[in-house]
Amino acid sequence: MSSYWIKSTENLKIGNKIDNNYKTDVCIIGAGITGLSIGYYLAKQGMKVIIIDKDDIGKKVSGNTTAKITFQHNLIYDYLIKSFGDDFALKYLKSNKEAISNIKNIIDSENIECDFEYQDNFVYTMVQDKITKIHNEIKAITTLNNLLTSQQNNNKENIAEFVTSCELPFKICGAIKIKNQAMFHPLKYMFGLANAIKNNGGVIFTNSLVTDVKQEDGYYMTYTKEYFIKSKYTVIASHFPFKDFPGFYFSKMYQSTSYVLGIDTKTNLFDGMYISSDSPTFSYRTAKYKNKRILIMAGGDHKTGYAPDNNLTGYNILEQEAKRYYPNCEILYKWNTHDCITMDKVPYIGEFSNLMPNLFVATGFNKWGITSSNVAANIIKDKILGKKNEYSSIYEATRFSPIKNSGETKNIISQTFKSFVTNRIKIPKENLSVIKNDNGGIIKVDGQNIGIYKDKDGKIFAVNPTCTHLGCLLTWNNIDKTWDCPCHGSRFDYTGKNIYDPAFKDLERY
């Protein structure tokens, strides 16, 4: 499955496989929107930049996003004020507002054709009892905006509005309306960034798997299977950091899987971008498609590694919603994506560890990677250039506290223990006949766990169902036909090929 963004740009290609050892100022691991944004800013400053990725440009999370460019990250600001205070929440708002302007400035200055459009953004509820949360969020945004305008000596402007109707094909109880947000085609934007990087002397290597990063004699050595890149500065922008120690990011966040449909509704579509504050969550926007527009609908999310409920998660619930409001619609595209979720709902941006100076990380974007990627790019760019960034303190990557979501922290610990120990004991002795065609599961063979998938014709694919990251027992995801890790979110296809980090090695095949 490929997203609409990936499929519609499959004729575009930038980057070749690494073919030698290299020395550079900055090595960036990851050619998604974050890595490319960092590389763009640094290359424009005259630094020698090499970007390296195990896939092609934007083929993972960045190419599977809904690509909304907004500072309204669902219901976030009331939470930030109550958890961290006004100053913290104000910096979060300012940094993400600036990110929208920064992205538009890049598009204009580099003449990038990426279907950029300003749109109003709506966070809505269909539950009357949750209207209070909508009003609390509007109050929080208004408070922060008043602080911002007083700092900048601007006239006060109401940027958050309460509405009770919108252009969606169903009734809502209420919503927050934010003007002058935006959306675009993320792959077209990323290829524009890549071209600008190359024009400023940068180098991009694709289909080149990084296996390790080590400190040696004041430099960082980024290793692939055959070659290395030597650099003074290194950035891990690979979604979930594949390097575990001493950063311990696997203990500070988890991964969530979401699903997306590209739909020809056979009708005229709405303006605006929408996301529900209810559960299950649904997200809506439109996109240019040939001579018309299609609907990009997302949701059905679940914690990666937990067997999804087809009635509440995955493509089924999205298709049911689509057919309810657009009975004659045609599903053109299906895809899924991963998001790193932090314990306190704030991304990790900055130094990877206090023990490893000049190694930086950007991760944990909590489903809002478009503006967060630009925030991260500017913070890391300033750190490398020795400049002060007013927002870096609130995103400090080395923080372990305060952990606001103590319940989820306990869940990560208990799920990891369960995967390491309990599941290994409780797996029943099954035989192959128990696993139906087009399904998967784990059986015991002479005391050995074997992961089995049977395709529609009954052909068997057998793997060692132990994650190659830290050894957790994998679970079968029958929606995507993948082996998913409940501990840290790594994923493998039914043949055992690694498709999502932090693991980078394939499963052992039988």
Side-chain angles (χ1 to χ4, degrees), residues 4-5 66 68 167-170 260-270 272-274 283-289 292-298 318 321-323 325-326 329-333 335:
Y4 166 60
W5 319 122
T66 54
K68 297 177 180 179
E167 294 189 28
L168 289 172
F170 49 81
V260 192
L261 300 179
I263 307 168
D264 181 357
T265 63
K266 311 296 184 181
T267 63
N268 292 329
L269 284 167
F270 49 79
M273 308 181 298
Y274 302 83
S283 167
Y284 304 89
R285 61 156 287 189
T286 64
K288 293 181 179 178
Y289 177 79
K292 56 183 176 182
R293 302 187 78 87
I294 60 172
L295 173 65
I296 304 297
M297 181 180 180
L318 294 179
E321 286 290 298
K323 293 290 185 180
Y325 302 112
Y326 304 102
C329 69
E330 179 185 0
I331 308 300
L332 302 177
Y333 300 92
W335 70 92

Side-chain angles (χ1 to χ4, degrees), residues 425-438:
I425 296 170
K426 289 187 176 181
I427 293 173
K429 292 186 177 181
E430 299 173 287
N431 56 53
L432 285 171
S433 63
V434 174
I435 298 175
K436 299 177 181 179
N437 287 4
D438 199 31

Side-chain angles (χ1 to χ4, degrees), residues 195-214:
N195 278 316
I197 291 166
K198 288 187 67 178
N199 291 339
N200 284 280
V203 177
I204 300 174
F205 292 121
T206 55
N207 299 293
S208 303
L209 175 66
V210 172
T211 58
D212 203 0
V213 176
K214 294 181 179 179

Side-chain angles (χ1 to χ4, degrees), residues 295-331:
L295 173 65
I296 304 297
M297 181 180 180
D301 56 306
H302 59 87
K303 188 174 180 181
T304 306
Y306 285 80
D309 182 341
N310 286 352
N311 295 319
L312 298 174
T313 59
Y315 301 112
N316 282 354
I317 192 170
L318 294 179
E319 291 187 38
Q320 290 169 13
E321 286 290 298
K323 293 290 185 180
R324 180 184 304 176
Y325 302 112
Y326 304 102
N328 298 318
C329 69
E330 179 185 0
I331 308 300

Side-chain angles (χ1 to χ4, degrees), residues 3-288:
S3 74
Y4 166 60
W5 319 122
I6 293 173
K7 195 68 176 176
S8 60
T9 54
E10 59 186 357
N11 61 321
L12 301 178
K13 183 174 176 60
I14 295 176
N16 297 302
K17 193 171 184 178
I18 189 169
D19 58 355
N20 211 328
N21 298 326
Y22 289 85
K23 184 178 180 181
T24 188
D25 295 330
V26 184
C27 176
I28 300 170
I29 304 167
I33 192 169
T34 304
L36 292 170
S37 298
I38 297 168
Y40 170 80
Y41 281 125
L42 291 173
K44 293 284 282 188
Q45 293 293 319
M47 299 199 77
K48 294 180 180 178
V49 173
I50 291 178
I51 300 175
I52 185 167
D53 198 294
K54 68 179 180 180
D55 292 297
D56 289 319
I57 286 175
K59 287 299 189 290
K60 290 301 181 185
V61 177
S62 297
N64 291 289
T65 176
T66 54
K68 297 177 180 179
I69 314 171
T70 176
F71 63 76
Q72 183 59 51
H73 299 169
N74 212 313
L75 302 182
I76 184 68
Y77 293 103
D78 183 53
Y79 159 80
L80 291 176
I81 290 172
K82 290 176 179 176
S83 299
F84 304 103
D86 287 357
D87 184 60
F88 187 105
L90 181 60
K91 288 181 179 179
Y92 189 98
L93 174 63
K94 285 178 64 179
S95 62
N96 283 279
K97 281 190 72 175
E98 288 180 12
I100 301 173
S101 299
N102 293 340
I103 290 168
K104 184 61 166 67
N105 288 338
I106 291 173
I107 291 169
D108 291 342
S109 62
E110 302 296 340
N111 296 313
I112 300 174
E113 294 291 336
C114 61
D115 303 336
F116 180 94
E117 300 176 71
Y118 283 112
Q119 293 280 344
D120 295 339
N121 187 72
F122 298 81
V123 180
Y124 70 89
T125 182
M126 299 177 70
V127 182
Q128 189 64 41
D129 291 346
K130 295 186 178 180
I131 288 292
T132 300
K133 291 185 177 181
I134 298 292
H135 284 296
N136 288 344
E137 183 73 359
I138 292 173
K139 181 180 178 182
I141 296 171
T142 302
T143 297
L144 296 175
N145 190 59
N146 289 342
L147 289 172
L148 180 59
T149 53
S150 63
Q151 285 182 4
Q152 298 174 342
N153 294 319
N154 294 331
N155 294 326
K156 290 183 179 180
E157 179 187 4
N158 184 17
I159 63 170
E161 178 185 353
F162 178 74
V163 296
T164 56
S165 63
C166 62
E167 294 189 28
L168 289 172
F170 49 81
K171 292 183 178 180
I172 62 172
C173 293
I176 305 165
K177 177 182 178 181
I178 305 286
K179 295 181 180 180
N180 297 320
Q181 307 301 281
M183 60 190 189
F184 65 176
H185 189 304
L187 257 295
K188 290 180 180 179
Y189 176 70
M190 283 185 275
F191 278 108
L193 288 176
N195 278 316
I197 291 166
K198 288 187 67 178
N199 291 339
N200 284 280
V203 177
I204 300 174
F205 292 121
T206 55
N207 299 293
S208 303
L209 175 66
V210 172
T211 58
D212 203 0
V213 176
K214 294 181 179 179
Q215 286 176 294
E216 295 182 18
D217 300 325
Y219 288 88
Y220 282 99
M221 308 297 290
T222 300
Y223 290 97
T224 67
K225 290 183 178 180
E226 298 175 313
Y227 304 107
F228 63 78
I229 301 169
K230 184 177 182 179
S231 61
K232 182 176 180 181
Y233 306 97
T234 295
V235 183
I236 299 176
S238 57
H239 180 57
F240 197 116
F242 66 93
K243 189 173 180 65
D244 297 313
F245 306 103
F248 295 97
Y249 291 92
F250 62 86
S251 68
K252 300 196 294 182
M253 59 185 181
Y254 64 94
Q255 297 206 59
S256 174
T257 303
S258 300
Y259 300 84
V260 192
L261 300 179
I263 307 168
D264 181 357
T265 63
K266 311 296 184 181
T267 63
N268 292 329
L269 284 167
F270 49 79
D271 288 324
M273 308 181 298
Y274 302 83
I275 189 168
S276 63
S277 62
D278 311 325
S279 182
T281 301
F282 295 103
S283 167
Y284 304 89
R285 61 156 287 189
T286 64
K288 293 181 179 178

